[in-house]
């Protein structure tokens, strides 16, 4: 089977042509040879029997008279007949009367003898003497008398010789027939295989990209039509390849332009993030510092409104940056352990004061079995989703209550299904507008944007984050009754106990007196804000305006921590951190990035440069206090 599979089309065509022809030739020649030999055998038998039948009447007289000389002369005369081996005459008692045979030298050449015999009978002749009478006389023949028999031995030499001649002629005929069939099959196979071979070479050339080699058209049969079609195909493929190369060149050019535009967009976002967050940090910081001073009630109200507007603007900036990350598929999720109940409680706690001021009831019901539940996931993004849902519920609820209902269900020993439902008794959403709420920059109607504000990015970002975590965000609402938003995500169980982060008991009034920190910041407003925050926390602050000055200060002075901006003149914050790490005694010095960069990869770039932590501007005084408590010993 393996050998047959390796036959080419030429060999297969010859085998297909020769096989039936050879079989038919062999069958026909065998049949006619067999018939001819049968006829020859019958002829031999007829000849031998004819000699015996003719010789029997001639020996009647000799047998009756007992004249053996007459019989012998008769037999010798008959012995001259070709192929007669011996002759014998026997009487009625089977006694041999006369026996003659060919000479012994002839006998040695004879291998087989066919024996024929005929009886010798007494012949009687009946005579009718009445030739003139019309009456018929009954012709009754007396029984013949058996006198003996004649035996003729006929040699097979002639039959064997004729048989060999017939077989030889049949073999020659079969050989010529086979040779003729082979020549015809070879020519037929060549006329088929050569065009097919040329077609195969042409197809291989087309496969390798050579469309310019024409395929010769042998005739106007099917193979000629196939060759013409392949030539047409090669011409079409050549034209398509040329058009494809042109399209690919255009696509490459378009892609390069798109990449340039995307890079320009990313650079623009990075620049705008830095340029917006830098003054925002100054505004928010100054407002927080202002709140620590003695003010009248009217001033307190003005400061609170300014802080609220600033935080709203910061939320809009963050939403736009998150939406940009999601569009570029650059949003990455963390996988760190945290306490789920603490996360939900802190989210609700951040809204409790605002809800109480508006006379709204903010209810949180945490199951007892959830309080000690430790999970792994992205707590920042989960907090972002919950803050968005709770914030929307409070924003669109003018009276009544907002409830937060977290639940969880174990899927296996490593995974759980977390569900958090936020219910409100607010204005509600119509059924036809409900799904539009999850489209970017969409709200139920334009009056909502005018009345309540917002960009329409919160819910789309929240749903995208939930889906990136492997879960979903569903909504049910009835206009004039309220809405129910349900977050469902899988979380991995964390079997180990989390280290309890307790605030460090700093000296003085719970602040950081006696601890020297280095602030590296080139913006004068931010220098003033952050330095004032640090001094209000009890730290002694040294200020560096660029990265080179920061390296010199770290080399000559001892600091508990360094707060490093990333975009600095002379030497940027990344290179300054690398150089500081090489100084003696600074390998374990806490370096915290304070940067307005908030795009994808900024945190990773800070950590890879050797910084310990990352705090994005603008930040609150409490955020700064928490991160210093984490790293300052």
């Amino acid at each position: 089977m393996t050998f047959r599979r390796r036959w080419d089309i030429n060999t297969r065509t010859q085998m297909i042509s020769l096989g039936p022809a050879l079989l038919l030739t062999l069958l026909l020649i065998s049949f006619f040879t067999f018939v001819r030999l049968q006829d020859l055998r019958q002829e031999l038998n007829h000849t031998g029997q004819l000699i015996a039948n003719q010789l029997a009447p001639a020996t009647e007289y000799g047998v009756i008279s007992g004249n053996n000389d007459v019989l012998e002369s008769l037999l010798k005369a008959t012995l001259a007949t070709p192929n007669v081996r011996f002759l014998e005459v026997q009487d009625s008692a089977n006694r041999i009367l006369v026996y003659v045979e060919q000479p012994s030298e002839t006998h040695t050449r004879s291998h087989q003898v066919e024996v024929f015999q005929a009886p010798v009978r007494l012949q009687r002749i009946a005579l009718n003497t009445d030739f003139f009478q019309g009456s018929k006389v009954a012709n009754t023949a007396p029984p013949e008398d058996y006198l003996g028999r004649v035996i003729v031995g006929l040699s097979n030499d002639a039959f064997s010789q004729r048989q060999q001649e017939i077989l030889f002629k049949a073999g020659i005929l079969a050989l010529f027939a086979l040779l003729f069939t082979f020549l015809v099959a070879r020519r037929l196979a060549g006329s088929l295989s050569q065009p097919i071979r040329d077609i195969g070479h042409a197809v291989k050339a087309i496969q390798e990209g050579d469309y310019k080699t024409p395929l010769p058209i042998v005739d106007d049969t099917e193979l000629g039509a196939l060759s013409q079609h392949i030539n047409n195909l090669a011409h079409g493929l050549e034209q398509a390849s040329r058009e494809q190369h042109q399209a690919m060149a255009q696509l490459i050019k378009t892609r390069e332009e798109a990449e340039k535009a995307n890079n320009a967009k990313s650079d623009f976002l990075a620049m705008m993030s830095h340029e917006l967050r830098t003054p925002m940090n100054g505004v928010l910081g100054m407002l927080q510092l202002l709140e620590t001073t003695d003010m009248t009630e009217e001033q307190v109200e003005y400061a609170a409104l300014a802080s609220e507007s600033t935080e709203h603007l910061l939320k809009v900036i963050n939403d736009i940056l998150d939406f940009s990350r999601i569009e570029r598929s650059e949003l990455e999720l963390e996988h760190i352990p945290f306490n789920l109940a603490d996360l939900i409680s802190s989210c609700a706690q951040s809204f409790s004061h605002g809800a109480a001021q508006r006379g709204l009831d903010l209810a949180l019901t945490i199951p007892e079995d959830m309080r000690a539940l430790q999970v792994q996931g992205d707590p920042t993004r989960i907090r972002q989703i919950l803050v968005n849902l709770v914030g929307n519920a409070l924003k669109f609820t003018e009276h009544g209550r907002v409830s937060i209902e977290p639940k969880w269900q174990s899927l296996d020993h490593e995974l759980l299904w977390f569900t958090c439902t936020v219910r409100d008794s607010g204005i509600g959403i119509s059924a036809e507008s409900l799904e539009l709420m999850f489209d970017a920059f969409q709200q139920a109607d334009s009056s909502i944007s005018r009345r309540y504000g917002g960009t329409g990015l919160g819910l789309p970002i929240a749903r995208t984050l939930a889906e990136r975590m492997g879960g979903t965000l569903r909504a049910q609402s009835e206009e004039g009754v309220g809405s129910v938003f349900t977050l469902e995500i899988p979380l991995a169980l964390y079997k180990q106990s989390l280290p309890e982060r307790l605030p460090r008991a700093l000296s003085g009034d719970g602040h950081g007196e006696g601890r020297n920190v280095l602030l590296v910041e080139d913006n004068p407003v931010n220098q003033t804000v952050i330095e004032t925050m640090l001094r209000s926390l009890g730290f002694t602050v040294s200020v560096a305006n660029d990265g080179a000055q920061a390296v010199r200060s770290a080399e000559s002075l001892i600091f508990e921590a360094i707060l490093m901006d990333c975009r600095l003149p002379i030497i940027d914050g990344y290179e300054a951190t690398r150089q500081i790490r090489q100084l003696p005694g600074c390998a374990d010095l806490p370096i915290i990035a304070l940067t307005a960069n908030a795009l994808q990869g900024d945190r990773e770039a800070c950590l890879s440069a050797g910084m310990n932590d990352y705090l994005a501007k603008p930040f609150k005084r409490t955020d700064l206090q928490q991160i210093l408590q984490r790293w300052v010993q």
Side-chain angles (χ1 to χ4, degrees):
M1 294 296 292
T2 304
F3 179 73
R4 188 185 66 174
R5 292 193 186 116
R6 295 178 181 175
W7 289 350
D8 56 7
I9 187 67
N10 192 359
T11 305
R12 295 189 182 191
T13 305
Q14 293 186 34
M15 292 301 298
I16 292 174
S17 303
L18 285 176
L22 179 61
L23 180 62
L24 183 61
T25 301
L26 291 178
L27 289 176
L28 290 176
I29 291 178
S30 299
F31 173 74
F32 287 116
T33 302
F34 175 75
V35 171
R36 185 69 185 91
L37 292 178
Q38 288 295 106
D39 293 342
L40 183 61
R41 171 64 65 184
Q42 292 178 2
E43 181 182 354
L44 178 63
N45 293 338
H46 178 71
T47 302
Q49 191 64 42
L50 180 62
I51 294 174
N53 291 338
Q54 291 178 350
L55 189 58
T59 59
E60 177 185 3
Y61 170 75
V63 173
I64 294 174
S65 63
N67 190 347
N68 293 336
D69 294 334
V70 174
L71 293 175
E72 184 175 357
S73 61
L74 181 61
L75 294 181
K76 287 183 178 180
T78 307
L79 192 62
T81 304
N83 301 322
V84 176
R85 172 67 185 83
F86 66 88
L87 296 171
E88 182 179 336
V89 178
Q90 297 179 356
D91 58 9
S92 58
N94 295 331
R95 291 189 296 270
I96 299 175
L97 299 179
V98 179
Y99 175 81
V100 295
E101 65 178 353
Q102 294 289 352
S104 58
E105 59 273 12
T106 306
H107 171 66
T108 57
R109 296 194 301 267
S110 179
H111 298 286
Q112 291 183 354
V113 177
E114 294 288 338
V115 178
F116 305 91
Q117 59 183 357
V120 180
R121 300 182 184 279
L122 179 62
Q123 302 294 325
R124 299 179 184 274
I125 300 176
L127 299 177
N128 189 0
T129 58
D130 192 358
F131 298 100
F132 304 101
Q133 295 180 359
S135 61
K136 295 182 180 181
V137 181
N139 187 13
T140 58
E144 295 181 356
D145 296 331
Y146 176 72
L147 301 178
R149 61 179 180 174
V150 175
I151 300 176
V152 179
L154 201 62
S155 174
N156 277 338
D157 291 342
F159 174 77
S160 300
Q161 185 178 2
R162 291 290 303 278
Q163 183 180 10
Q164 292 176 1
E165 292 176 358
I166 292 172
L167 292 176
F168 178 74
K169 292 178 181 178
I172 294 297
L173 180 61
L175 183 61
F176 275 104
L178 182 61
L179 180 61
F180 176 75
T181 306
F182 173 74
L183 293 177
V184 173
R186 184 179 179 83
R187 184 173 181 82
L188 176 62
S191 64
L192 290 176
S193 62
Q194 187 60 39
I196 294 177
R197 191 178 297 110
D198 294 339
I199 290 174
H201 292 160
V203 172
K204 184 177 180 180
I206 292 174
Q207 183 180 1
E208 294 175 352
D210 182 11
Y211 308 112
K212 298 182 179 180
T213 303
L215 181 63
I217 301 176
V218 293
D219 50 31
D220 56 352
T221 60
E222 290 85 353
L223 290 177
L226 179 60
S227 300
Q228 184 62 45
H229 293 329
I230 291 178
N231 286 336
N232 296 336
L233 176 63
H235 179 71
L237 288 176
E238 181 182 7
Q239 184 177 0
S241 177
R242 187 165 54 250
E243 294 176 355
Q244 183 184 22
H245 287 339
Q246 295 175 355
M248 288 295 295
Q250 184 65 31
L251 287 175
I252 292 174
K253 182 180 178 181
T254 305
R255 185 190 66 181
E256 291 175 351
E257 293 177 353
E259 289 178 351
K260 290 180 180 179
N262 188 49
N263 293 334
K265 177 183 175 182
S266 299
D267 294 340
F268 173 76
L269 286 174
M271 181 187 66
M272 291 303 297
S273 171
H274 185 273
E275 296 303 323
L276 287 174
R277 287 172 176 272
T278 298
M280 283 290 296
N281 186 67
V283 173
L284 188 60
M286 286 299 182
L287 288 173
Q288 293 177 16
L289 294 176
L290 182 60
E291 291 175 352
T292 61
T293 62
D294 295 332
M295 296 183 295
T296 63
E297 293 183 0
E298 185 177 7
Q299 292 172 336
V300 170
E301 182 180 357
Y302 292 162
L305 290 175
S307 297
E308 182 180 351
S309 299
T310 305
E311 291 179 357
H312 177 70
L313 179 58
L314 180 60
K315 184 179 184 303
V316 172
I317 296 174
N318 290 333
D319 286 345
I320 293 175
L321 292 176
D322 284 338
F323 184 73
S324 176
R325 293 191 192 104
I326 292 172
E327 271 193 330
R328 299 196 308 271
S329 300
E330 293 181 351
L331 186 66
E332 295 183 359
L333 300 176
E334 291 183 320
H335 195 68
I336 59 176
F338 63 95
N339 184 283
L340 193 55
D342 292 346
L343 176 67
I344 301 171
S345 299
S346 64
C347 290
Q349 184 66 28
S350 62
F351 291 99
S352 60
H353 180 68
Q357 285 185 335
R358 297 176 53 193
L360 298 176
D361 181 17
L362 179 60
L364 171 62
T365 305
I366 297 180
E368 290 297 328
D369 57 352
M370 185 183 287
R371 297 190 180 277
L373 191 61
Q374 313 293 339
V375 296
Q376 281 186 311
D378 192 333
T380 303
R381 296 303 178 183
I382 297 176
R383 179 191 299 272
Q384 182 178 353
I385 297 173
L386 294 178
V387 165
N388 188 280
L389 296 180
V390 177
N392 283 345
L394 291 173
K395 181 169 65 173
F396 296 110
T397 302
E398 297 180 354
H399 54 82
R401 63 175 295 173
V402 173
S403 62
I404 306 173
E405 304 170 2
K407 294 184 295 183
W408 69 284
Q409 181 181 2
S410 177
L411 298 179
D412 52 38
H413 63 284
E414 294 182 351
L415 201 65
L416 63 86
W417 189 257
F418 171 62
T419 303
C420 187
T421 303
V422 179
R423 304 177 186 271
D424 66 68
S425 57
I427 60 175
I429 309 169
S430 62
E432 57 272 11
S433 302
L434 187 58
E435 278 302 315
L436 295 177
M437 298 296 295
F438 293 99
D439 295 336
F441 305 105
Q442 293 290 330
Q443 290 186 340
D445 57 62
S446 59
S447 63
I448 291 181
S449 177
R450 293 193 300 267
R451 182 177 179 184
Y452 296 98
T455 60
L457 291 176
L459 287 178
I461 293 175
R463 171 172 278 187
T464 303
L465 291 175
E467 291 174 350
R468 293 286 181 89
M469 296 178 190
T472 184
L473 179 60
R474 296 181 288 105
Q476 296 176 346
S477 184
E478 184 177 351
E479 196 168 5
V481 176
S483 303
V484 179
F485 287 85
T486 303
L487 170 67
E488 296 180 340
I489 54 173
L491 293 172
L493 285 169
Y494 187 71
K495 303 285 181 71
Q496 303 177 9
S497 59
L498 291 175
E500 187 175 0
R501 291 181 179 176
L502 297 176
R504 288 180 176 85
L506 302 177
S507 60
D509 283 333
H511 302 299
E513 284 86 351
R515 300 178 184 273
N516 190 17
V517 296
L518 174 63
L519 172 63
V520 187
E521 174 63 61
D522 62 325
N523 186 276
V525 177
N526 284 332
Q527 280 185 4
T528 303
V529 171
I530 301 173
E531 182 179 0
T532 305
M533 287 184 179
L534 290 172
R535 294 188 184 282
S536 68
L537 293 174
F539 290 94
T540 301
V541 183
S542 300
V543 179
N545 295 318
D546 55 64
Q549 186 179 354
V551 175
R552 291 193 298 269
S553 298
E555 185 177 9
S556 59
L557 299 175
I558 298 176
F559 298 102
E560 297 285 341
I562 297 178
L563 306 179
M564 180 78 70
D565 189 15
C566 293
R567 291 194 174 189
L568 295 170
I570 304 177
I571 298 178
D572 61 22
Y574 305 113
E575 181 61 28
T577 300
R578 296 187 186 97
Q579 294 184 16
I580 291 173
R581 289 299 182 201
Q582 298 176 359
L583 298 176
C586 295
D588 299 326
L589 176 64
I591 301 178
I592 302 169
L594 299 181
T595 177
N597 296 337
L599 294 179
Q600 179 68 25
D602 292 334
R603 180 183 180 90
E604 290 74 11
C606 294
L607 297 179
S608 63
M611 300 183 188
N612 299 95
D613 212 334
Y614 174 95
L615 185 59
K617 300 175 185 177
F619 52 83
K620 297 181 181 180
R621 180 175 178 272
T622 55
D623 298 331
L624 182 61
Q625 182 181 13
Q626 289 176 0
I627 201 168
L628 287 173
Q629 287 176 348
R630 184 181 305 133
W631 292 105
V632 176
Q633 299 297 328

